């Protein structure tokens, strides 16, 4: 005989799961006991939201669903933001929540919330497990649904009586690889014809271009065709290595320097763009032709409505597209002359040594201490725009940011997951003083897990991004400032190391020393946000577009 929870854990092992993140409740105790006797590590967090962010980031970085567990009602509801984060961000994740017994109701309606219903709009699938016999197929199906394109979260609810029920053994369903079809030859021919006719082609790499399996294929495509490319915020780094074809990241929707190239393009080959991202450019009645290349068809939006589509396995389809056009694109490099000027603008004020430092200087200093494979995980705040614009990446998923749900609070948990998956790499969480405090309790988890991790807090004693928008919209400065704990003492109280930057030139050596020492470090630095208005509003408003290229 086998118990429901034993079968669930065996089914998770069958999927290759090695860790589960979460906060158990009494309804999960059978599962906890089954985990204790399994090869899967239970990683306790101090809030379910952080567990879900970690599981989602596991999915994002590996392509294999991360798993998190919580109790019923309150614990399950704490997964909601993480579910939405994975759903919008296209990150495979499995959430397992407990529930009271379904055959009896000995506690009446105590703690009972319709979690299945609450998870429906936030997941690809939300199901209750109603019998032990269903566990192997439901778990296999959950992983299939979570991991197949477009990836996302799946929720399974396991009532405590099913978890504890003894049943005859039920065979597990072995997973097998699924290879996606390559785009139809007619679609490839059409796209090739459009590219061959283009006078000023440009490639854009979007969120789905960052899927772990694509790293090599994109490099091949851009280097075989020689077309310059820009990225969306979540597509950053998706072309591996240096190509000299990168011309920027669209962190704003218009008017940034990179838009000089976008505005002049007559054809944009948009690879893996997912319209959950803040638009990297705005399509209108005039403007360039757009070809969508994706695992799934493009969404049609007011600001994004491609004229042609190449749908299928992206890497293989792009290889076949390159076969059709390699060496035949006379105008491939037409927009490349803009590259130097666009990238040059980003270096502006990056060397300034005023204190507090400018965002540009902080981005530059962070890049200095991060090796190529080092991972920077951002929380959500004003600095995200600066990192997206100014931070250069050569490896996919080395700047983890959330331009989909754009939630605060994910910076530290996502950095912790990156550090667990890549213990030899430098991992830095960059958080505002607002966003850090939304999940700062996970410093305890990071210390307990003995992670190597540095957290950089950009301190402005405010919800800076909203304060900036308030000023841009000419509202009076009101309601967006707060006080902070002494971050150095706060870090120390968790058993981490803390440091406060008091001179701009100390930032690089302090970060460097923290990485060398290993363990969990928190470094807090004040930031001069006057650059937000000076650059992102005044300078870009006055930007004179480049004259039209021939
Ligand atoms: C959970 C959540 N709440 C509110 C917001 C809206 N919001 C976006 S940025 C921001 C301010 C972030 O402040 P902080 O983390 O200090 O970063 P800063 O902009 O000051 O650098 C707020 C409130 C959000 N994105 N997510
Ligand atoms: Mg702040």
């Amino acid at each position: 005989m086998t118990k429901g929870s034993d079968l669930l854990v065996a089914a998770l092992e069958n999927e290759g799961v090695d860790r589960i993140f979460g906060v158990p409740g009494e309804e999960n105790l059978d599962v906890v006991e089954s985990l204790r006797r399994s090869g899967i590590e239970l990683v306790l967090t101090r809030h379910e939201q952080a567990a879900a962010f970690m599981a989602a980031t596991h999915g994002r970085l590996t392509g294999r669903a991360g798993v998190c567990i919580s109790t019923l009602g309150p614990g399950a509801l704490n997964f909601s933001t993480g579910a939405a984060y994975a759903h919008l961000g296209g990150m495979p994740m499995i959430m397992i929540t407990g529930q009271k017994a379904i055959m009896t109701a000995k506690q009446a309606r105590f703690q009972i919330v319709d979690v299945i219903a609450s998870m429906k709009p936030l997941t690809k699938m939300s199901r209750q497990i109603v019998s032990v016999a269903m566990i192997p197929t439901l778990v296999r199906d959950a992983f299939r649904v979570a991991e197949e394109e477009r990836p996302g979260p799946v929720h399974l609810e396991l009532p405590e009586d099913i978890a504890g029920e003894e049943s005859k053994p039920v065979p597990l369903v072995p997973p097998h690889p699924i290879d996606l079809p390559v785009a139809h030859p007619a679609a490839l021919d059409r796209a090739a014809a459009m590219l061959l006719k283009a006078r000023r082609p440009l490639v854009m790499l979007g969120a789905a271009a960052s899927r772990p399996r694509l790293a090599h294929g994109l490099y091949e495509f851009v280097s075989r065709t020689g077309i310059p490319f820009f990225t969306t915020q979540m597509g950053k780094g998706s072309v591996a290595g240096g190509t000299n074809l990168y011309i920027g990241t669209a962190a704003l929707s218009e008017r940034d320097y990179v838009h000089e190239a976008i505005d002049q393009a007559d054809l944009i080959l948009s690879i893996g763009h997912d319209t959950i991202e803040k638009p990297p450019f705005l399509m209108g009645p005039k403007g360039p032709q757009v070809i969508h290349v994706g695992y799934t068809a493009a969404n049609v939006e007011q600001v994004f409505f491609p004229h042609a589509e190449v749908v299928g396995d992206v890497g293989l389809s792009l290889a076949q597209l390159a076969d059709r056009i390699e060496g035949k694109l006379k105008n491939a490099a037409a927009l490349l002359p803009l590259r130097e000027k666009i990238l040059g603008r980003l270096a502006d004020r990056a060397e300034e040594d005023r204190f507090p430092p400018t965002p540009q200087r902080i981005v530059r200093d962070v890049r200095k201490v991060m090796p190529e494979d080092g991972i920077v995980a951002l929380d959500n705040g004003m600095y995200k725009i600066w990192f997206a614009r100014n931070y250069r990446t050569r490896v996919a998923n080395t700047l983890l940011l959330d331009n989909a749900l754009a939630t605060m609070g994910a910076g530290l948990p996502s950095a912790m997951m990156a550090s667990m998956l890549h213990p030899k790499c430098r991992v830095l969480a960059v958080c505002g003083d607002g966003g850090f405090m939304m999940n700062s309790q996970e410093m305890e988890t990071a210390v307990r897990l003995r992670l190597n991790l540095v957290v950089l807090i950009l301190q402005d004693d405010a919800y800076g991004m909203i304060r900036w928008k308030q000023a841009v919209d000419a509202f009076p400065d009101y309601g967006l400032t707060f006080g902070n704990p002494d971050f150095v003492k706060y870090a120390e109280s968790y058993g981490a190391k803390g440091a406060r930057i008091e001179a701009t030139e100390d930032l690089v050596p302090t970060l460097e020393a923290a990485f060398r020492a290993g363990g969990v470090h928190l470094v807090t630095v004040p930031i001069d946000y006057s650059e937000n208005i000076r650059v992102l509003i005044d300078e870009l408003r006055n930007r004179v577009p480049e004259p039209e290229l021939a």
Side-chain angles (χ1 to χ4, degrees):
M1 297 295 274
T2 174
K3 201 168 66 161
S5 59
D6 286 338
L7 195 53
L8 174 83
V9 170
L12 295 173
E13 285 181 317
N14 185 48
E15 299 291 336
V17 174
D18 51 8
R19 293 184 183 107
I20 295 189
F21 304 91
V23 182
E26 62 177 302
E27 287 70 23
N28 307 115
L29 286 174
D30 278 299
V31 178
V32 170
E33 172 57 14
S34 301
L35 286 170
R36 186 180 70 82
R37 290 187 282 111
S38 78
I40 301 179
E41 181 190 359
L42 172 63
V43 178
L44 275 195
T45 59
R46 305 304 301 271
H47 194 293
E48 292 87 353
Q49 190 187 84
F53 287 150
M54 291 178 77
T57 304
H58 180 285
R60 178 182 196 174
L61 292 179
T62 64
R64 290 179 292 110
V67 185
C68 53
I69 187 164
S70 82
T71 189
L72 75 178
L77 292 172
N78 275 348
F79 275 164
S80 316
T81 307
Y85 173 78
H87 202 34
L88 270 67
M91 307 175 197
M93 165 166 85
I94 308 285
M95 294 173 286
I96 297 168
T97 64
Q99 189 51 284
K100 299 276 186 224
I102 45 173
M103 303 301 216
T104 55
K106 290 188 180 149
Q107 293 192 347
R109 296 193 194 172
F110 177 60
Q111 283 195 305
I112 292 188
V113 170
D114 187 347
V115 177
I116 300 286
S118 82
M119 283 292 178
K120 279 249 153 84
L122 304 175
T123 54
K124 292 179 79 179
M125 176 171 113
S126 175
R127 298 276 299 270
Q128 187 180 58
I129 300 176
V130 292
S131 76
V132 177
M134 288 294 290
I135 289 175
T137 38
L138 261 183
V139 170
R140 180 76 279 272
D141 204 42
F143 277 81
R144 178 189 67 80
V145 171
E147 290 172 3
E148 77 187 1
E149 289 290 339
R150 175 181 184 273
V154 168
H155 167 234
L156 293 178
E157 180 180 74
L158 182 62
E160 66 175 321
D161 52 353
I162 307 293
E165 189 179 319
E166 297 280 348
S167 129
K168 284 204 220 84
V170 189
L172 299 173
V173 186
H176 52 252
I178 298 179
D179 301 305
L180 290 178
V182 181
H184 195 286
L188 291 163
D189 289 344
R190 199 176 300 124
M194 289 169 77
L195 280 158
L196 289 169
K197 260 197 266 156
R199 291 169 61 208
R200 293 175 304 276
L202 196 55
V203 167
M204 177 175 91
L205 296 155
S210 295
R211 300 279 193 265
R213 64 174 170 283
L214 252 180
H216 188 65
L218 295 175
Y219 172 78
E220 284 285 297
F221 181 77
V222 297
S223 42
R224 284 178 69 190
T225 60
I227 306 173
F229 68 91
F230 69 105
T231 75
T232 68
Q233 295 192 41
M234 291 175 84
K236 252 185 121 69
S238 50
V239 171
T243 56
N244 294 329
L245 293 168
Y246 170 73
I247 59 168
T249 296
L252 307 174
S253 297
E254 54 190 340
R255 285 225 297 254
D256 205 347
Y257 292 102
V258 70
H259 292 94
E260 287 181 14
I262 299 170
D263 293 348
Q264 292 187 42
D266 66 343
L267 180 87
I268 296 181
L269 185 74
S270 162
I271 301 172
H273 180 46
D274 191 330
T275 58
I276 44 82
E277 284 207 75
K278 188 193 279 180
F281 67 101
L282 305 172
M283 287 180 70
K286 291 192 283 189
Q289 294 276 297
V290 173
I291 306 174
H292 165 82
V293 183
Y295 293 102
T296 52
N299 292 330
V300 180
E301 312 280 353
Q302 234 177 319
V303 294
F304 188 75
F305 41 88
H307 304 91
E309 306 204 21
V310 174
V311 179
D313 182 282
V314 172
L316 294 175
S317 302
L318 284 176
Q320 298 205 1
L321 185 57
D323 289 344
R324 285 165 165 78
I325 57 179
E326 186 174 5
K328 298 183 194 155
L329 293 172
K330 316 189 278 301
N331 303 320
L335 292 172
L336 203 53
L338 297 175
R339 176 175 193 264
E340 225 163 281
K341 185 185 159 206
I342 292 169
L343 297 183
R345 295 301 311 186
L346 302 179
D348 183 38
R349 301 211 179 184
E351 307 286 330
E352 266 201 25
D353 48 15
R354 75 167 104 138
F355 186 81
T358 59
Q360 300 93 310
R361 171 72 192 249
I362 291 174
V363 171
R364 189 206 71 151
D365 285 4
V366 166
R367 187 66 277 185
K368 256 192 168 170
V369 297
M370 297 306 285
E372 222 167 66
D373 63 354
I375 298 173
V376 175
L378 302 185
D379 204 277
N380 213 68
M382 195 63 216
Y383 52 87
K384 189 176 83 177
I385 295 181
W386 288 105
F387 271 85
R389 282 176 99 232
N390 295 25
Y391 191 76
R392 296 281 290 274
T393 49
R394 290 172 152 213
V395 180
N397 293 312
T398 50
L399 181 65
L400 291 181
L401 53 75
D402 168 21
N403 187 33
L405 185 65
T407 181
M408 295 163 74
L412 175 58
S414 59
M416 286 163 61
M417 188 70 246
S419 168
M420 291 175 88
L421 287 169
H422 301 286
K424 297 229 159 65
C425 294
R426 287 188 174 185
V427 177
L428 179 75
V430 177
C431 305
D433 42 6
F436 171 70
M437 290 303 288
M438 287 199 182
N439 269 320
S440 63
Q441 76 285 346
E442 301 307 329
M443 291 290 283
E444 189 281 317
T445 311
V447 169
R448 172 165 34 90
L449 295 174
R450 299 178 186 279
L451 300 183
N452 292 318
L453 179 68
V454 180
V455 182
L456 179 65
I457 297 184
L458 309 178
Q459 205 175 333
D460 66 341
D461 299 331
Y463 290 124
M465 181 169 217
I466 311 302
R467 200 177 184 204
W468 170 68
K469 285 260 165 79
Q470 190 179 48
V472 171
D473 293 346
F475 287 115
D477 184 13
Y478 171 74
L480 291 163
T481 56
F482 47 66
N484 272 311
D486 178 329
F487 282 119
V488 174
K489 286 195 189 138
Y490 188 69
E492 287 167 357
S493 74
Y494 283 108
K497 298 266 182 338
R500 179 174 293 105
I501 301 298
E502 280 160 350
T504 298
E505 65 268 23
D506 291 347
L507 184 56
V508 167
T510 306
L511 291 174
E512 190 60 44
F515 279 119
R516 281 179 198 274
V520 181
H521 292 252
L522 181 154
V523 177
T524 181
V525 61
I527 184 164
D528 180 353
Y529 267 157
S530 60
E531 289 293 287
N532 297 336
I533 300 273
R534 191 191 68 78
V535 179
L536 300 178
I537 299 299
D538 297 342
E539 184 178 302
L540 295 184
R541 185 183 292 138
N542 297 331
R543 188 173 70 75
V544 184
E546 282 279 289
E548 198 75 62
L549 287 183

